[in-house]
């Protein structure tokens, strides 16, 4: 331990997504003397960013009011919107979308590559004096006298067996008066902080979704910049929350993806294959004709909303963005809320710095007094309604909630289960037969992972810890028939010798860092920890 | 003894590039860029020579756009002592690079120039040999082992079917192959310290080098996909096909 | 047009890669072949080169300074002979890649390495980005310096021609570079990267014992190197340095036989450029079958011994 070098900062930020970058920029705006260090486990800023993404510019307007006059990558305004309820062969277009589903109305919003937006924000932050270090994963939370005093980056050059390899380089302690965790959904350090300070006490369990995304390049004659299409219904059954999106943006690019609620029950369900087969539906298929697939990726997102947000602060820091669960699920948007939470946390940290307070406690009050809280409050009953009553009745409730109650219902619906508790055993689940990939519109997992440019240094310990292998056999295999081999969108989990001696093979190198296994594993037996920094996907611009 | 190490900024080796649909080239916009892996090996070897006392200074050079300074920072974080950035508009071809390097060699007077054997973007495998030719220096290409002593450098070289060792009188050019060493990580503390190391910026235009390209790219295409194979029904059929159709046995 | 090809020989024969370069050169004009070595070696090499059909004349450079194909004197020699030749060629071999760029620099020419196709006298196709893209490039240099990718041109035959041999005067000297030693192991088992045939095994072999028991006899028969998938290495069936794949070795032999390998993408990335791929697998859905030229679906424990016996 003593060989680790240490460096002191006013604020350390873990994660270079919209929340972390907005916090960093806000900090330097309000306290130009404050030293701010931001680390990112991806090989560069944006390398691990997956999002639809239609973004609402509200938070950006507040953070960088002049952004429209700058050379930003936010260039495709939403121009047309379509929402479909799908049956197997037909798509029923929802009329008067702005009244029935006002949360989905996207007037004034933009279709972007969130990875590019983050790269742009990072350049701004660096110009303002933020020190940004991509390629370094936060591996350890430093807690002294019950106060978080920073994080340590992971050691590099540890061999598979856990020994120091020839290139061993110890991690570094990044010590901050305050530490902001902006790891996105299900952050591995956030998980430890939550446990240490019991931050989830008294709030609903978090519920999640898994977004699986592709970026296509399509013929210019078919491209309708700013077109936004959403669907729900087929191919998911009524008990499963989710749907597809398809956005036209940039230079002949299409962002297509599918979110599956991770409270799904059927163990045979494969979110990856739901995404693939939805492309074959007549509503979506024409968009892909003559096109080619460029990029693939996946990431879990927090869907719980207001009820599931934990206590936000603790001695020495705060949780921001989707690490805390600031995603507006009915809107399927988390960028503006993530940024706003980062900005509010920055304001609270600046106040705490000035007054030498241990905990940046005013963050919570600042959230309560902001539009962020109002927005999440009015959206709070939509997602649990789907969980409670299924897709169709949930949609009906959402319509009533929007049109009549206007989000001001005097009641709050709750989540009762964590996502790992909802699976039904294999014997009670109806098998799903997915079509074979055709190699033109639909593809298999491995050729998909190839397009995420994923790699991990080969000789390092497996970063997916299965705590108890015999438990895998008795629970995951005997009861659920290895759901991880289906929900993992990257083919990390495979079962070897199924017929004779089933055992779990972990291809950790394929991992795209979506965190689904950490969330959905029925026995909570899989712990996702950060691998050596720089590993994981390398999503290029466009993602 | 000074060592010069030219390093190139290339698309990261983890990234699969794609050909632009109009066939004008490979799409590189928005891709992660890194130091050419063979150049990392060259930097590592140069730094090790300095650490062993065989060299006194390691100077990293990059020729290219402004962002190549990130590549130089990596070289500095790995242990290079200072850096020189030569700014050009586009990625110059090896002949031009060799001519620019020759000017810098004449200015810095190193006894060893250590390069990667090839860049993983254009796969030319030429710059080191060309610089050696222009300078009239001996060359030890595709090095898998390097020893410096008594005014000479002994280089074990990867050749077809094995290795050979040559002994070169200094000053000399060495190009690094994959097995020479495993480069160290640019650790976070060293990246932080590298920000304070000196970096000089020059304009290629000021060096008096003719940068006219000799090669123009007419088009770039995807390699042909493998044609669908056949399923054979027996070992006998397989052997027959391999003998008479594929003619590989 | 007359072109000059630097030709390498081995054991009294023109190396196959050089015969591919000769085949490429015949598309450009009359072919003169240059052989170099000490007096005895250059005599033998000239005799071999004269037999290659398509060679119009052999230039024989015999001198001690040329004994080891050192780039410094060899480049000076080629430059001295470059005269009116429109194109200077060599194989994309270790020797060709070593010397030709040096030649080009001395002639103030940008070389064109790894030529895969000749479009016209100025225009060539070559791989970039590890073969993930093919660039067609046009040279404005008066003289072209090319190295030829052997796999792209069917080699000229070794026998059948009878070109005249002309000894050239060698005036080059070199004080800066000297040959010390060569180590070219004569192993029964070639190295993975340079093997013509590779037999590679995966999880389907089920144990280290089976891995050796089934693959080694087959590899012996074929004079093949032995490779392995990552799973096979991870499971301890095969040593680490035998791993073929994105993070292991990238190979492109003439024949690649994948035994019990499902074909994870990382593995495919390491061997997809092989000329002929054979897959032996019990699973008809295995991804390896999508890239294989010949697939045999069935029990490898029966197929592999039968194949070994049939060869």
């Amino acid at each position: 331990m003593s060989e680790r070098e240490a460096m002191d900062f006013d604020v350390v930020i873990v994660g270079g997504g919209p929340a972390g970058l907005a916090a960093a920029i806000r900090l330097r705006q309000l306290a130009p003397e404050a030293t701010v260090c931001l680390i990112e486990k991806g090989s560069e800023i944006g390398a691990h960013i997956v999002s639809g993404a239609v973004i609402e510019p509200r938070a950006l307007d507040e953070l960088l009011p002049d952004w429209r006059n700058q050379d930003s990558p936010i260039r495709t305004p939403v121009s047309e919107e379509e929402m479909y309820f799908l049956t197997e062969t037909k798509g029923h277009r929802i009329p008067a979308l702005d009244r029935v589903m006002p949360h989905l109305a996207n007037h004034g919003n933009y279709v972007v590559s969130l990875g590019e937006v983050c790269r742009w924000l990072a350049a701004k932050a660096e110009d303002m004096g933020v020190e940004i270090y991509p390629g370094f994963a936060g591996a350890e939370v430093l807690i002294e006298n019950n106060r978080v005093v920073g994080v340590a980056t992971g050691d590099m050059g540890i061999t598979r067996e856990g020994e120091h390899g020839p290139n061993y380089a110890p991690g570094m302690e990044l010590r901050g008066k305050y530490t902001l965790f902006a790891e996105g959904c299900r952050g591995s350090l956030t998980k430890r902080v939550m446990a240490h300070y019991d931050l989830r006490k008294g709030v609903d369990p978090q519920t999640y979704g898994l977004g699986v995304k592709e970026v296509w390049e399509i013929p210019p004659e078919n491209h309708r910049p700013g077109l936004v299409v959403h669907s729900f219904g087929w191919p998911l059954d009524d008990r499963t929350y989710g749907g597809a999106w398809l956005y036209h943006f940039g230079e002949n690019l299409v962002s297509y993806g599918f979110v599956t609620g991770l409270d799904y029950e059927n163990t045979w369900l494969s979110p990856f294959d739901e995404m693939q087969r939805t492309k074959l539906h007549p509503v979506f298929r024409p968009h892909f004709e003559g096109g080619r697939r460029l990029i693939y990726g996946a990431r879990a997102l927090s869907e719980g909303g207001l009820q599931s947000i934990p206590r936000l602060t603790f001695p020495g820091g705060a949780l921001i963005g989707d690490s805390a669960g600031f995603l507006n699920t009915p809107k399927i948007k988390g960028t503006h809320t993530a940024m706003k939470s980062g900005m509010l946390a920055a304001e609270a940290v600046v106040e705490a710095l000035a007054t030498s307070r241990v905990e940046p406690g005013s963050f919570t009050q600042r959230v309560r007094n902001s539009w962020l809280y109002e927005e999440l409050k009015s959206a709070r009953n939509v997602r649990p309604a789907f969980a409670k009553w299924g897709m169709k009745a949930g949609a009906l409730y959402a319509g009533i909630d929007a049109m009549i109650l206007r989000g001001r219902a005097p009641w709050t619906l709750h989540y009762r289960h964590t996502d790992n508790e909802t699976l039904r055993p294999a014997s009670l689940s109806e098998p799903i037969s997915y079509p074979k990939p055709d190699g033109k519109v639909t593809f298999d997992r491995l050729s998909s992972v190839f397009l995420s440019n994923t790699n991990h240094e080969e000789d390092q310990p497996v970063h997916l810890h299965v705590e108890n292998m015999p438990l895998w056999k008795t629970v995951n295999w005997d009861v659920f028939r290895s759901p991880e081999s289906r929900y993992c969108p990257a083919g990390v989990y495979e079962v070897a010798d199924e017929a004779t001696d089933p055992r779990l093979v972990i291809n950790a190198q394929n991992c795209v860092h979506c965190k689904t296994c950490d969330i959905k594993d029925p026995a909570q037996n899989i712990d996702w920890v950060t691998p050596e920094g720089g590993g994981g996907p390398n999503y290029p611009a466009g993602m | 003894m000074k060592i010069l190490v030219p390093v190139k900024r290339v698309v990261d080796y983890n990234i699969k590039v794609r050909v632009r649909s109009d066939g004008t080239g490979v799409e590189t916009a928005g891709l992660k860029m890194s130091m050419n892996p063979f150049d990392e090996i060259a930097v590592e070897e140069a730094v090790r020579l300095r650490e062993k006392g065989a060299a006194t200074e390691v100077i990293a050079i990059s020729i290219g756009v402004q962002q190549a300074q990130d590549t130089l920072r990596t070289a500095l974080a790995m242990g290079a002592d200072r850096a020189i950035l030569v700014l050009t508009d586009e990625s110059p071809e090896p002949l031009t690079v060799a001519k620019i390097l020759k000017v810098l060699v004449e200015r810095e007077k190193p006894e060893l120039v250590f390069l990667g054997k090839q860049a993983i973007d254009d796969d030319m495998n030429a710059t080191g040999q060309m610089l050696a030719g222009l300078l009239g220096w001996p060359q030890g290409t595709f090095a898998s082992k390097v020893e410096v002593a008594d005014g000479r450098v002994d280089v074990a070289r990867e050749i077809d079917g094995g290795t050979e060792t040559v002994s070169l009188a200094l000053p000399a050019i060495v190009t690094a192959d994959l097995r020479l060493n495993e480069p160290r990580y640019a650790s976070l503390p060293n990246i932080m310290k590298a920000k304070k190391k000196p970096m000089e910026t020059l304009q290629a235009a000021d060096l008096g080098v003719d940068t006219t390209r000799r090669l123009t790219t007419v088009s770039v295409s995807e390699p042909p996909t493998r044609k669908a194979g056949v399923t054979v029904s027996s070992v006998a059929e397989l052997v027959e096909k391999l003998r008479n159709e594929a003619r590989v046995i | 047009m007359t072109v000059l090809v630097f030709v390498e020989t081995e054991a009294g024969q023109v190396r196959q890669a050089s015969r591919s370069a000769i085949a490429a050169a015949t598309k450009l004009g009359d072919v003169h072949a240059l052989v170099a070595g000490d007096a005895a070696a250059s005599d033998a090499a000239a005799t071999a080169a004269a037999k290659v059909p398509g060679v119009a004349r052999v230039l024989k450079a015999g001198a001690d300074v040329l004994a080891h194909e050192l780039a410094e004197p060899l480049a000076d020699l080629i430059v001295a002979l470059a005269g009116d030749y429109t194109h200077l060629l060599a194989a994309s071999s270790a020797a060709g890649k070593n010397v030709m760029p040096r030649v080009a620099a001395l002639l103030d020419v940008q070389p064109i390495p790894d030529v895969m196709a000749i479009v016209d006298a100025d225009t060539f196709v070559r791989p970039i980005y590890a073969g993930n893209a093919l660039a067609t490039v046009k040279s404005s240099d008066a003289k072209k310096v090319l190295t030829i990718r052997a796999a792209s041109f069917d080699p000229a035959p070794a026998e059948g021609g009878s070109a005249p041999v002309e000894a050239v005067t060698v005036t080059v000297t070199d004080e800066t570079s000297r040959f010390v030693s060569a180590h070219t192991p004569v192993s029964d088992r070639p190295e993975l990267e340079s093997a013509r045939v590779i037999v590679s095994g995966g999880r389907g072999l089920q144990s280290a014992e089976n891995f050796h028991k089934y693959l080694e006899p087959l590899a012996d028969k074929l004079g093949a190197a032995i490779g392995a998938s990552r799973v096979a290495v991870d499971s301890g069936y095969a040593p680490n340095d035998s791993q073929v794949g994105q993070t292991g070795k990238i190979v492109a032999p003439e024949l690649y036989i994948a035994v019990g390998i499902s074909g994870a993408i990382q593995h495919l990335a390491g061997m997809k450029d092989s000329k002929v791929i054979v897959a032996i697998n019990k699973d008809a859905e295995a991804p390896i079958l999508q890239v294989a030229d010949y697939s045999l679906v069935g029990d490898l424990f029966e197929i592999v011994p039968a194949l070994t016996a049939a060869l």
Side-chain angles (χ1 to χ4, degrees), chain B residues 245-248, chain C residues 5 14-27 31 52-54 89 91 115-118 148-158 196 254 275-276:
Chain B
E245 194 176 87
R247 286 180 294 167
V248 287
Chain C
V5 183
V14 176
R15 292 185 64 188
Q16 182 172 313
S18 290
R19 287 188 280 115
S20 289
I22 291 168
T26 57
K27 295 175 193 291
V31 178
V52 177
L89 280 72
V115 170
M116 298 174 69
I118 296 170
I148 304 298
R149 192 172 179 261
S152 302
F153 294 88
D154 284 336
R196 200 187 70 82
E254 285 188 39
K275 197 166 164 210
V276 174

Side-chain angles (χ1 to χ4, degrees), chain A residues 9 29 50 55 117-118 172-173 175 180 238 247 265 289-290 372 421 432 434 443 451 472 514 543:
Chain A
F9 299 90
Q29 286 173 338
V50 184
I55 65 165
V117 172
C118 288
M172 181 178 187
E173 291 187 3
R175 302 177 69 89
L180 299 179
D238 198 56
Y247 310 144
E265 298 169 355
E289 297 293 346
L372 174 56
E421 295 170 341
I432 305 173
Y434 293 106
F443 302 92
L451 292 179
W472 175 83
C514 78
M543 191 63 168

Side-chain angles (χ1 to χ4, degrees), chain A residues 59-321:
Chain A
L60 187 57
D61 285 340
E62 296 175 8
L63 183 67
L64 301 167
D66 190 40
W67 70 269
R68 283 183 172 81
N69 300 321
Q70 300 174 14
D71 188 21
S72 87
I74 305 167
R75 286 184 295 262
T76 311
V78 173
S79 58
E80 312 167 58
E81 253 186 295
E82 298 171 4
M83 175 76 178
Y84 292 90
F85 173 75
L86 303 186
T87 62
E88 187 163 358
T89 52
K90 289 209 169 54
H92 303 279
R93 187 158 169 189
I94 309 297
L97 192 62
D98 53 341
R99 279 187 291 133
V100 185
M101 296 182 162
H103 42 271
L104 273 168
N106 275 305
H107 181 76
N109 295 340
Y110 293 82
V111 188
V112 300
S113 154
L114 192 60
E116 285 176 51
V117 172
C118 288
R119 288 177 180 95
W120 174 72
L121 285 174
K124 295 249 167 262
E126 280 196 306
D127 285 348
M128 296 171 74
V130 177
E131 292 188 44
I132 298 184
Y133 298 105
F136 293 95
E140 199 183 316
V141 184
L142 305 174
I143 300 177
E144 291 170 9
N145 302 320
N146 205 35
R147 174 180 181 160
V148 172
V149 294
V151 297
T153 63
D155 295 348
M156 311 282 268
I158 302 279
T159 67
R160 176 162 285 248
E161 289 74 33
E163 284 152 13
H164 293 187
N167 294 324
Y168 171 73
M172 181 178 187
E173 291 187 3
L174 300 167
R175 302 177 69 89
K177 292 178 186 146
Y178 301 96
T179 305
L180 299 179
F181 292 90
E183 298 177 283
C185 169
R186 196 79 170 193
S188 49
L189 298 189
T190 302
K191 193 171 157 182
R192 275 141 191 84
V193 173
M194 281 190 195
H196 184 88
Y197 293 105
D198 203 10
L199 302 179
R200 299 210 65 86
K201 191 177 163 190
V203 302
D204 281 9
Q206 185 58 273
T207 184
Y208 300 88
L210 171 60
V212 187
K213 173 177 170 175
E214 295 179 342
V215 178
W216 285 64
E217 181 183 46
I218 65 167
E221 58 271 23
N222 298 343
H223 196 251
R224 291 150 67 189
L227 172 66
V228 165
V229 183
H230 288 110
S231 77
F232 65 107
W234 185 88
L236 299 177
D237 63 31
D238 198 56
R239 294 297 311 150
T240 311
Y241 182 79
W245 80 79
L246 185 143
Y247 310 144
H248 288 216
F249 75 110
E251 276 184 47
N252 302 320
L253 298 179
V254 168
S255 158
Y256 165 80
F258 196 97
V259 174
T260 305
L262 287 177
D263 58 349
Y264 72 83
E265 298 169 355
N266 186 335
T267 189
W268 300 111
L269 187 141
S270 158
F272 172 84
D273 292 293
E274 299 296 348
M275 182 275 274
Q276 292 295 341
R277 70 168 166 175
T278 304
K279 280 186 279 182
L280 300 172
H281 192 277
V283 162
F284 290 106
R285 183 166 192 141
H287 293 275
F288 302 107
E289 297 293 346
R292 63 171 173 165
R293 193 171 67 138
L294 305 180
I295 316 171
Y296 170 85
R299 184 72 172 92
L301 48 138
S302 306
E303 290 188 339
L306 194 66
Q307 300 88 312
S308 303
I309 292 179
R311 200 176 106 206
L312 295 172
T313 59
F314 46 84
L319 308 178
I320 60 178

